Amino acid sequence: MIDVVTTLASELGTLPARGSAALDDLLDRDLGLGSLERVELALRLEQAFGVRLGDAVLAEAESCRDLVAAVAGAGAPVAETEPAAIVLPRAGDQVPGEARTLTEVLAWHAAATPDRVHIVLRLDTGDEEPITYGALAEGARAVAAALQARGVRAGDTIAIMLRTEPAFFRVFFGVLLTGAVPVPIYPPFRPGHLEEYARRQVGILRNAEARMLVTFAEAARVGRLVRRRVPTLETVVTADQLSTWGAPGAPQAHFRSLKGSARRPSSAHLALPRSERPGAAVAPLDNAIRSQALRAAPVHETAPGRDADAVALIQYTSGSTGDPKGVVLTHANLLANIRALGRALAVRPEDVCVSWLPLYHDMGLIGAWLGSLYHGIPVVLMSPLAFLARPARWLATLSRHRGTISAAPNFAFDLCVKRITDGEMAGVDLSAWRLAMNGSEAVTADTIARFTARFAPCGFRADAMTPVYGLAEASVGLTVTPPGRGPRVDSVSRETFERARHAEPAGPGERSPLRFVSCGIPLPGHEVRVVDAAGRPVPERVEGRIEFRGPSVTGGYHRNVAVTRAVVRAGWMDSGDFGYIAEGELYVTGRSKDIIIKAGRNLYPQEIEDLVGGVPGVRRGCVAAFGVPDPDTGTERLVVLAETRTHDAEARDRMRAAVIERVVDAIGLPPDTVVIAGPGAVLKTSSGKIRRSATRDAYLAGTLGRPRPSPRRQWLRLVAADARLRLGAAARMARAAAFALWTGVLLAVLVPPLWIAVTLARRARTVDAVTRWWCRTVLRLAGCGPTVRGLQHLPRRSAVLVANHSSYIDVIALLAALPLDLRFVAKRELLAAPIVGTVLRKARHLTVDRVDVSRGVADAARVTAAMGDGSVVCVFPEGTFVRRPGLLGFRLGAFKAAVEAGGPIVPVVIRGTRDVLPADTWRLRPGRIEVTVLPPLTVAGEGWREIVRLRDAARAAVAATLDEA
C-alpha cells in the first residue's frame, strides 16, 4: 500500500519531505490527494491488489491505514457487467395536466399505470432496481401513516438526509402526504470534515425549524450529535426505523412519541405583500406562503398535500452556512416550472432521463426526478459517488438505456474528457442523447468544444449540447437553449466590456476577447430582464443585474423577510447574477458578489481561474480569484489563490511567475497578490463549487490552508460539545422544575384567600380590586411582573381594547398591567369554571355565546350597550389561541360594537405569555411579560366597510409590534 501511494504522490509532487508516505498520513492534508487524485489512486489499488473497491472508499477513506482496511475487506475484481435488462416503458401521450400538487401527480400515475416502471436505480453493487409508480405510492402511504401516528402535522418541516437510495423517494412523498414540508439536506461524506458539516447542518436545521430528521444508519450518530443544537428537532430516525413505525404490532417504546411535545414552529415564512412578490406579467402569481394556517391545522382536519399554494419544499443551497437561505417553493411553483420546462424542451413520450445529480440539489430533485415523474418518462438514477468514482458509468448508462435527457454542471463534462479512457468507451453509443443540459455553474465555451470533439466518435452530436440557466429561487430552470440548435458563443471586446459594461462584438483580429455562452431564452410564461443599479431596464448588450419573474418563482426565503425584501423589487426578483441580453438570449457573465472592480474595470473571476488552472503544476478547478478592499487606492486588490501539490519552494516561485504572466497576457493587469498553497486551501461546497466569499474571508483572517484536526479529534470535539449541551439542558430542566415547584406553592397559598375574598365581596369594584391585587402579586412573586409601555394611550371611558391572545394568563397580565377598570368579554363556557366564573359574574364582565347564534347576537348588543354606559371593554378578537407563535385572524364583533357606539379601538400587544404558559400545559415557566398599548384608532364612518377597515388596521398594528405574524 505504501509503495502504491508513494509512487502516485511522487508523480504528483506531493510527497512529504521524508520522501515516502506513511501509514497514518492523511490523504488530503499530508499527501495532497483531492477527489480526482483519489479516483486515480483507487484504480491503481484495484490493479495492484486484484480487488474491486466500493465507491464509498473514495469519499470515506481519510488515511493510508483506511485504504489498507478497505483493500483487506474488498472482494475479488468483478467486471461491471450489464445488469439484467429492465424494460423501460414508453410514456403515455397524456400527462396529469389538471394536477394541482405533486401528490396528485403521483396518485394519477399510480392509478393509471401502477405496474409501469418509474425509476431505475443503480445500486452500489452495480445492479439496477426498478421502482414502479404503484410501489412508490404504496411506500409513501406507509411512511405518511407512520409520521401521522407520531403526531406529524401539516406544516411541520421534516429534514431528509438520505443518499440516492429507494428510501429517499418514499420518505419525500410520505412527508408530502401528511401535509408536512420536506427539507432535503446533503449527507456527510467524509469523516475529516465532520465539524464543518455539523456546523452547516445545524444552521440549516435551525432556520428550517425541522421537527424530525430522517437519515440512514451510518449518519444517525452525527444527526443525534447535532440534535441538541436545534431546539425544534425532536427526533432523529433512520428510514428503516421509520418504516417499522407503521407496522402492526411494532414496538413503540424505542421511539419517543412526538404527540404533545413542545414545539416552536416558525412565524410566517415571509411577509411580503402580494403585490411585491415575483409573478408572471400576464397572470400575477399568488405565491402566498400560508404558514400559520398550515401549522395550526391538525392533519385529520385538512386534506394534506391538496393545496396548490401549500409549501412543497424548502430548498437550501449547498453553500448555506451561518445565515442559510431556504427557498420556499409551493406545489404551484414546482408544477409551473416542470410544465414550462416540458414545453421548452419538447419532452416526448419516448424520452428517457438519466441522472447522477444528488437528490438534495434542485437539478437532481426537481429537474431530473420530479420532472420525469410528471411527464411519465422513466428516469435512471445513480449516485454522485458512482459518477465521481468512474465517470464512464454516466455515459455507459446513457448508452445502455438509450437515454435522451441528462443534465450536469460544466465540471462534469470536463471530468469526462480528462478521466474516461478509450477502452471504457468501447461500444458506447450516445446517438440517442438529444438534450445534454449544461447548467448549475458557469458554462464555458472551451468545455463544450472539448466534450463535443472527444465524444463525437461515440455518436454525440454538437447540437445536443444545451446550455441552460436556472436557480433555486426559480424552482430550477429559468432559460434554456432551443432544443436541437446547439450552443451559441458570443465573443466580445474585452476593453469595452470591462470598462463600459457594453458587450460589443469582438473584431476578427482581437487578441484576447471575452467569450460568453448563451443560456437561451426564458421558459414559457416567465420573464427575464437586465437592469442597472437603480432598477431601470438597460438596452441589449449592456451588462446589468439579471431579474426575473414568473409562476415558478419563490415567494421568498424561509423565516427571512429582510433578505426576501432585499432581492424583490416591484414584483421582480434579483438573481444575484450579472449578464446581458443579445437577440433575445441571456448571457450570464458572473455572480454580482464575485465580480472584482479594479481600476475602473470589472474583472470576472471565472475567466481568471480558468486561465490560472492551465499553469503547469496548478490544480485545475482549485483556483480562486477574488477582490479585497484597498483603502489606500479606493479600489480592490486582485488576489489569486492557486493550489498545488508540490512543496518545492523554487517550483512554487516559478508557478507564481507563470500565473502573473498568464493573467497579464489575458486581461492586461497583473494580480496584486498570488498565493500558491497546498491542497484544501480553496474552499468549496459539497457539490464542488468554489466558495469565493468564504475563501476571501479565510484569506483576510489568515486561516487559509490551516490543517483540519483528525477525524477522531473532530468526533471527540463534537461529542464534548454534545455533552456540554446535555449538561446545560439538565440545568435548565432543574431550574424549570424549581420554578414550577415555587409557582405551585404560590398558587396553593394565594388561591384560597382569593376565593374567600371574592365570595364574600358584595360590590363589583371590590372584586375587581382584589383580583387586580392578586394578579400583580402572583406575577411579581413569580418573577414575571409585566413591563408596561404606552399607558398614555389608555382611554378612560367608552372604548374597545383589542389584544392578541397567546395564553390562559393573558387576562392576568392585563389586569396586573393596566391601571384601568376593564370589562372583559369572555366565552360563556367560563361561567361554569370555579373561581373564574364567580369573578366574571361579580365583577360584571361580559360573556358571549359562540354556539347559539341568536344568543350571540344579544350578547354582542350588550357589549355595545356597555360602551354606551362609558365602560372600557377588552376583547381578544382572535377568539382562541394556539401553541404556535403567530397572529390568527380577527373576528368582527368588537369592531362592530365600536362603530355602533362611536368609541375608539385601542390595540394592545401582549408579549411573553406564550412562553410563560404555553397552550396544552398548566406548568408555568420563567419568562418576561410585556404589555404595550398602541395609539387608538378612531371611528371615521359607519357600516360594514368601516368595521372591516378598523379590523384590518388593528390587526396590522398588533402584528407589526408583535412580530410573530
Side-chain angles (χ1 to χ4, degrees):
M1 175 69 68
I2 295 301
D3 287 343
V4 173
V5 176
T6 298
T7 299
L8 177 60
S10 177
E11 295 172 6
L12 299 173
T14 59
L15 271 179
R18 61 177 177 271
S20 68
L23 200 57
D24 290 314
D25 279 349
L26 297 180
L27 300 181
D28 54 359
R29 189 182 72 185
D30 300 321
L31 299 172
L33 304 182
S35 298
L36 299 183
E37 292 80 16
R38 287 167 178 251
V39 173
E40 177 65 25
L41 178 58
L43 294 175
R44 294 192 184 192
L45 291 176
E46 291 181 344
Q47 293 171 0
F49 293 98
V51 297
R52 185 57 176 267
L53 297 175
D55 296 341
V57 172
L58 291 173
E60 296 174 359
E62 291 291 325
S63 67
C64 295
R65 190 180 296 276
D66 294 337
L67 292 175
V68 171
V71 169
V78 178
E80 288 202 9
T81 57
E82 291 283 323
I86 296 176
V87 178
L88 296 182
R90 183 182 184 274
D93 293 327
Q94 292 184 333
V95 295
E98 300 299 319
R100 296 175 300 164
T101 65
L102 294 174
T103 50
E104 289 181 9
V105 170
L106 176 59
W108 189 91
H109 285 294
T113 54
D115 297 326
R116 190 153 59 96
V117 173
H118 164 41
I119 298 169
V120 175
L121 188 63
R122 183 194 181 278
L123 306 177
D124 291 340
T125 60
D127 295 327
E128 293 180 339
E129 176 181 336
I131 301 174
T132 64
Y133 292 102
L136 175 57
E138 183 180 354
R141 285 193 293 269
V143 170
L147 292 173
Q148 286 182 312
R150 287 303 181 276
V152 171
R153 298 181 179 181
D156 286 336
T157 46
I158 308 298
I160 304 175
M161 190 171 71
L162 294 170
R163 302 157 296 192
T164 303
E165 55 187 309
F168 182 95
F169 311 104
R170 60 176 181 266
V171 170
F172 185 90
F173 265 100
V175 171
L176 286 180
L177 284 173
T178 66
V181 181
V183 182
I185 60 177
Y186 69 96
F189 288 113
R190 298 176 63 181
H193 297 251
L194 272 178
E195 285 187 302
E196 180 184 2
Y197 174 81
R199 190 162 52 248
R200 287 191 183 189
Q201 299 315 309
V202 164
I204 290 174
L205 292 169
R206 280 179 174 172
N207 180 261
E209 290 190 321
R211 187 176 171 205
M212 179 190 293
L213 172 62
V214 183
T215 185
F216 53 100
E218 294 86 345
R221 285 200 307 167
V222 177
R224 293 185 183 104
L225 284 178
V226 304
R227 173 182 162 188
R228 296 187 183 277
R229 305 186 191 186
V230 183
T232 59
L233 188 58
E234 300 171 359
T235 297
V236 176
V237 62
T238 68
D240 290 340
Q241 289 172 329
L242 184 62
S243 65
T244 67
W245 284 9
Q252 306 299 329
H254 298 294
F255 309 104
R256 185 165 65 90
S257 174
L258 300 176
K259 288 184 177 179
S261 54
R263 304 181 193 171
R264 258 186 20 191
S266 71
S267 54
H269 295 291
L270 56 107
L272 290 187
R274 183 175 303 175
S275 60
E276 295 183 31
R277 298 174 188 160
V282 178
L285 171 68
D286 178 10
N287 261 350
I289 310 302
R290 293 180 286 182
S291 172
Q292 288 307 130
L294 283 174
R295 291 177 177 276
V299 171
H300 64 275
E301 293 181 3
T302 64
R306 295 188 181 180
D307 184 353
D309 288 329
V311 182
L313 173 68
I314 301 178
Q315 176 77 47
Y316 286 88
T317 62
S318 57
S320 298
T321 52
D323 186 21
K325 293 191 300 184
V327 178
V328 177
L329 297 171
T330 65
H331 289 274
N333 292 150
L334 295 175
L335 287 176
N337 200 257
I338 289 168
R339 286 166 174 149
L341 278 170
R343 292 195 295 273
L345 298 173
V347 174
R348 309 164 181 170
E350 62 269 21
D351 277 323
V352 174
C353 181
V354 175
S355 177
W356 55 265
L357 298 168
L359 293 171
Y360 53 80
H361 189 271
D362 51 6
M363 281 183 72
L365 176 67
I366 306 168
W369 174 39
L370 295 178
S372 298
L373 171 70
Y374 177 83
H375 290 101
I377 63 174
V379 56
V380 184
L381 300 177
M382 55 195 295
S383 76
L385 282 179
F387 165 72
L388 292 173
R390 291 175 178 80
R393 288 171 173 163
W394 178 29
L395 305 188
T397 302
L398 278 159
S399 175
R400 179 166 60 250
H401 291 286
R402 303 295 293 166
T404 61
I405 302 174
S406 193
N410 192 78
F411 89 88
F413 294 96
D414 251 338
L415 187 62
C416 288
V417 173
K418 297 170 186 174
R419 292 292 170 180
I420 297 177
T421 65
D422 290 341
E424 290 176 305
M425 293 307 294
V428 171
D429 179 5
L430 301 178
S431 60
W433 195 2
R434 70 179 186 90
L435 292 172
M437 290 180 286
N438 186 336
S440 182
E441 61 184 17
V443 181
T444 65
D446 290 342
T447 294
I448 290 174
R450 286 192 292 264
F451 186 88
T452 302
R454 172 69 176 82
F455 297 104
C458 301
F460 183 78
R461 302 187 310 277
D463 61 13
M465 183 63 71
T466 309
V468 296
Y469 171 68
L471 59 170
E473 288 82 352
S475 294
V476 60
L478 186 58
T479 67
V480 300
T481 299
R485 189 201 68 187
R488 179 175 292 174
V489 179
D490 192 23
S491 294
V492 303
S493 171
R494 177 183 297 277
E495 180 71 15
T496 304
F497 190 76
E498 289 180 348
R499 291 197 179 277
R501 306 184 74 175
H502 184 260
E504 179 181 311
E510 184 156 341
R511 178 169 168 267
S512 181
L514 287 168
R515 303 172 74 206
F516 298 111
V517 178
S518 166
C519 293
I521 60 178
L523 295 180
H526 295 70
E527 293 180 275
V528 174
R529 70 178 185 179
V530 177
V531 300
D532 60 18
R536 298 184 297 262
V538 299
E540 280 210 348
R541 289 197 166 273
V542 174
E543 186 193 42
R545 302 183 75 95
I546 300 171
E547 293 186 340
F548 58 96
R549 65 182 180 183
S552 61
V553 178
T554 177
Y557 299 107
H558 182 66
R559 297 180 60 232
N560 209 332
V561 174
V563 175
T564 300
R565 287 189 181 277
V567 299
V568 176
R569 177 167 45 190
W572 292 83
M573 176 164 270
D574 187 347
S575 68
D577 290 323
F578 278 149
Y580 64 91
I581 294 175
E583 298 179 2
E585 300 198 17
L586 178 67
Y587 292 82
V588 181
T589 57
R591 296 288 296 170
S592 57
K593 66 179 181 180
D594 291 335
I595 289 178
I596 305 155
I597 303 175
K598 179 175 174 60
R601 295 175 58 182
N602 286 359
L603 306 180
Y604 297 85
Q606 298 94 332
E607 182 196 17
I608 296 171
E609 290 160 0
D610 194 53
L611 287 167
V612 174
V615 171
V618 170
R619 302 180 70 203
R620 183 173 286 278
C622 298
V623 180
F626 49 87
V628 297
D630 186 351
D632 294 334
T633 62
T635 185
E636 287 189 314
R637 294 173 58 84
L638 170 59
V639 178
V640 177
L641 168 65
E643 292 184 10
T644 183
R645 309 178 184 96
T646 182
H647 300 283
D648 183 73
E650 292 185 5
R652 288 193 173 199
D653 287 340
R654 288 193 296 271
M655 268 182 266
R656 189 175 292 106
V659 168
I660 294 173
E661 181 181 2
R662 186 163 290 203
V663 173
V664 169
D665 286 346
I667 70 173
L669 284 175
D672 295 284
T673 303
V674 176
V675 179
I676 306 296
V682 175
L683 303 180
K684 297 183 178 182
T685 69
S686 63
S687 56
K689 295 180 184 177
I690 294 172
R691 298 168 59 201
R692 295 186 185 91
S693 297
T695 302
R696 178 179 58 238
D697 293 343
Y699 169 79
L700 293 173
T703 59
L704 275 179
R706 181 174 293 176
R708 293 186 182 89
S710 67
R712 182 186 299 274
R713 187 174 178 185
Q714 290 188 49
W715 182 259
L716 289 175
R717 293 207 301 209
L718 286 174
V719 171
D722 184 64
R724 289 193 297 271
L725 290 172
R726 287 174 180 268
L727 289 174
R732 287 192 296 272
M733 289 180 63
R735 287 195 298 270
F739 181 81
L741 178 61
W742 167 240
T743 53
V745 171
L746 277 179
L747 294 176
V749 171
L750 295 178
V751 166
L754 173 66
W755 172 250
I756 294 171
V758 168
T759 302
L760 297 178
R762 300 286 185 182
R763 300 171 56 196
R765 186 177 297 275
T766 303
V767 174
D768 183 69
V770 168
T771 306
R772 287 177 180 280
W773 173 87
W774 188 89
C775 292
R776 285 194 296 268
T777 301
V778 168
L779 291 182
R780 190 178 300 117
L781 291 176
C784 303
T787 302
V788 189
R789 297 184 178 86
L791 287 177
Q792 70 273 17
H793 300 310
L794 277 178
R796 292 300 168 188
R797 55 183 289 111
S798 299
V800 177
L801 270 58
V802 290
N804 61 294
H805 203 9
S806 305
S807 170
Y808 286 115
I809 63 170
D810 287 337
V811 172
I812 295 176
L814 290 178
L815 285 172
L818 301 182
L820 186 70
D821 290 337
L822 298 176
R823 297 185 69 181
F824 284 94
V825 178
K827 56 186 179 182
R828 184 176 294 274
E829 301 96 286
L830 291 177
L831 290 174
I835 304 180
V836 174
T838 303
V839 171
L840 287 175
R841 285 190 296 271
K842 288 202 165 189
R844 297 190 307 117
H845 294 297
L846 305 171
T847 60
V848 294
D849 195 306
R850 301 188 301 173
V851 179
D852 189 321
V853 175
S854 59
R855 183 182 289 182
V857 172
D859 292 337
R862 293 210 326 273
V863 174
T864 303
M867 288 185 62
D869 294 339
S871 297
V872 176
V873 178
C874 186
V875 179
F876 297 108
E878 293 170 273
T880 187
F881 61 90
V882 293
R883 193 178 188 116
R884 302 184 177 279
L887 199 61
L888 303 178
F890 278 15
R891 300 180 181 181
L892 291 171
F895 307 96
K896 178 177 181 294
V899 170
E900 291 176 348
I905 292 285
V906 183
V908 178
V909 178
I910 308 172
R911 286 201 195 96
T913 54
R914 197 191 306 274
D915 295 327
V916 173
L917 186 65
D920 306 324
T921 181
W922 289 106
R923 194 171 82 174
L924 289 167
R925 302 172 180 177
R928 299 175 58 186
I929 298 175
E930 297 179 2
V931 176
T932 303
V933 183
L934 302 177
L937 305 171
T938 57
V939 177
E942 57 185 28
W944 176 258
R945 290 183 181 275
E946 181 64 6
I947 293 171
V948 173
R949 183 192 71 82
L950 286 173
R951 180 200 63 182
D952 294 345
R955 190 182 186 281
V958 172
T961 305
L962 181 63
D963 196 25
E964 280 189 0

